[in-house]
């Protein structure tokens, strides 16, 4: 959607009475910035900056001039039915910053890079959970199964990496509630109910599955907004309101099915990685860099060993030190643990300010203060 049209639609929506989606959340009071590749437009922001923030790379909520601000990349949406619910979603992240307690401590990207999407038991749990949540009527026995699946998943995460469980619990709350708010807005404003869940295993599945669980809690007349805002994990809340089942029905069969699908997927992914590493540029960095990442969660794969594979789009931001960007199907391998980034090889050169520059249709980077330490290997 073009920026002018989006501004008109959002300003019109925010001038109308808002629909109630969560306690006292009022999106009409939230600071927003709508933007495209060329321009920005602020709504409800008391002190809009003159210059464009270099942190505008995703739909999220960030600090702009000391004010938590919801960011809306208008080129990512095509219809008003997607735009306005997204405004409710990202605006709710600003609300969360002021009303939700975040008591979990973890390294965000280390947790992402250890997400166990290629673990057979994890996949089996995801498959069964999706099947249960897609049932039109969930009886007490099925809800008990969901409680047991949540408990087993927490146990699995706890054994993988110390960052993983606190990350999953907090993100399930934050993104699950924001998606729940978005879905309510879409339903109340446009009569569009949430679609059935599609089976997924990677980072970000909690957007939809946690939202679906919040719908189930609401249908059971469970009051949960205060508990979630105070920091109670969704999985803990489920355990509090139902007794888990003694075992998970169908788990062994689901594990067998997961093993076959994982093997075929890894053949493809390992082939992509081998092709990349055979002709690539490697960038090395250290912990002194304050790195931000923008990416498409639908095309990012967590390899579970500290690496992230971005298959469609990724931007690695080194603050004033520059950035690396791939898109249009060019892959980027982000080794979070070993602090390495690999991209397909393109021509690179230094400019007059000694910044390393590479430009192509699908790969771009601009990096200051780099040192070449080997052929096609650079240290930031």
């Amino acid at each position: 959607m073009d920026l002018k049209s989006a501004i008109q639609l959002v300003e019109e929506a925010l001038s109308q009475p808002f629909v109630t989606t969560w306690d006292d959340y009022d999106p009409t009071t939230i600071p927003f910035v709508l933007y495209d590749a060329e321009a920005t437009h602020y709504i409800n922001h008391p002190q809009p900056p003159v210059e464009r923030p270099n942190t505008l790379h995703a739909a999220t909520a960030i600090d702009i001039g000391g004010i938590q601000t919801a960011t809306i990349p208008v080129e990512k949406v095509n219809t008003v039915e997607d735009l306005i619910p997204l405004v409710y979603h990202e605006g709710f992240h600003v609300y969360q910053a002021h009303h939700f307690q975040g008591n979990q401590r973890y390294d965000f990207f280390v947790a992402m890079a250890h997400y166990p999407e290629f673990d057979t038991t994890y996949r089996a749990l995801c498959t069964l959970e999706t099947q249960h949540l897609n049932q039109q009527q969930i009886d007490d026995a099925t809800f008990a199964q969901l409680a047991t699946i949540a408990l087993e998943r927490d146990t699995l995460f706890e054994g993988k990496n110390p960052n993983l469980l606190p990350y999953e619990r907090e993100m399930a709350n934050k993104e699950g509630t924001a998606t729940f708010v978005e879905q309510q807005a879409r339903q109340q404003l446009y009569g569009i109910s949430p679609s059935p869940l599609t089976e997924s295993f990677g980072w970000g599945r909690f957007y939809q599955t946690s939202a679906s669980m919040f719908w189930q809690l609401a249908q059971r007349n469970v009051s949960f907004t205060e508990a979630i805002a105070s920091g109670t994990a969704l999985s803990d809340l489920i355990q509090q309101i139902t007794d888990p089942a003694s075992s998970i029905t169908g788990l062994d069969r689901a594990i067998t099915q997961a093993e076959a699908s994982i093997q075929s997927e890894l053949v493809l992914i390992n082939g992509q990685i081998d092709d990349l590493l055979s002709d690539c540029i490697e960038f090395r960095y250290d912990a002194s860099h304050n790195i931000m990442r923008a990416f498409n969660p639908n095309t990012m794969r967590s390899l579970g060993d500290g690496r992230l594979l971005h298959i469609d789009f990724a931007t690695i931001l080194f603050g004033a030190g520059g950035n690396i960007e791939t898109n249009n199907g060019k892959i980027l391998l982000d080794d979070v643990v070993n602090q390495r980034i690999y991209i397909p090889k393109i021509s690179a050169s230094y400019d007059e300010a000694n910044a390393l520059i590479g430009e192509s249709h699908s790969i771009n980077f601009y990096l200051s203060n780099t040192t070449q330490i080997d052929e096609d290997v650079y240290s930031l």
Side-chain angles (χ1 to χ4, degrees), residues 131-179:
Q131 292 173 357
H132 293 323
L133 287 172
N134 277 339
Q135 294 181 23
Q136 289 188 347
Q137 296 292 330
I138 295 181
D139 58 21
D140 290 344
T142 302
F143 199 80
Q145 285 287 311
L146 287 167
T148 308
I149 289 170
L151 183 61
E152 288 298 314
R153 186 171 54 242
D154 280 1
T155 301
L156 185 148
F157 283 157
E158 192 170 27
K160 292 289 184 181
N161 182 276
N163 293 279
L164 195 52
L165 180 59
Y167 163 85
E168 172 76 7
R169 290 159 70 90
E170 185 159 287
M171 294 303 291
N173 277 17
K174 286 186 175 180
E175 294 298 350
T177 55
T179 303

Side-chain angles (χ1 to χ4, degrees), residues 48 62 72 87 93 97 107 122 146 166 174 187 226 231 239-240 258-259 269 271 277 287 319 324 334 341 346 348 353:
I62 60 175
I72 309 295
V87 166
H93 285 315
D107 186 304
Y122 168 74
L146 287 167
K174 286 186 175 180
Q187 185 179 68
E226 183 177 344
Q239 312 303 319
Q240 292 172 11
E259 289 173 345
I269 288 174
L277 297 181
I324 303 167
D334 184 1
I341 296 166
I346 64 170

Side-chain angles (χ1 to χ4, degrees), residues 112-119 122-123 199-203 261-262 264-266 268-270 272-273 295-313 331-336:
M112 282 176 57
H114 286 91
Y115 213 78
E117 62 177 288
F118 294 103
D119 180 276
Y122 168 74
R123 281 220 177 179
E199 191 173 64
S200 62
F201 312 106
W203 177 91
S261 63
I262 287 173
S264 62
E265 288 179 36
L266 286 178
L268 175 61
I269 288 174
N270 288 331
Q272 290 177 307
I273 294 174
F295 52 90
N296 181 350
N298 297 318
T299 57
M300 183 195 75
R301 310 303 299 270
S302 171
L303 303 180
D305 58 3
R307 296 179 299 164
L308 298 168
L309 182 65
H310 298 276
I311 298 173
D312 173 55
F313 157 76
I331 67 174
L332 179 149
L333 181 63
D334 184 1
D335 188 339
V336 177

Side-chain angles (χ1 to χ4, degrees), residues 27-33 42-46 67-71 90-91 94 98:
T28 68
T29 66
I30 299 294
F32 291 94
V33 57
Y42 288 86
I43 299 173
N44 294 335
H45 197 291
I67 303 295
Q68 278 291 308
T69 307
T71 64
E90 303 307 340
V94 175
H98 298 292

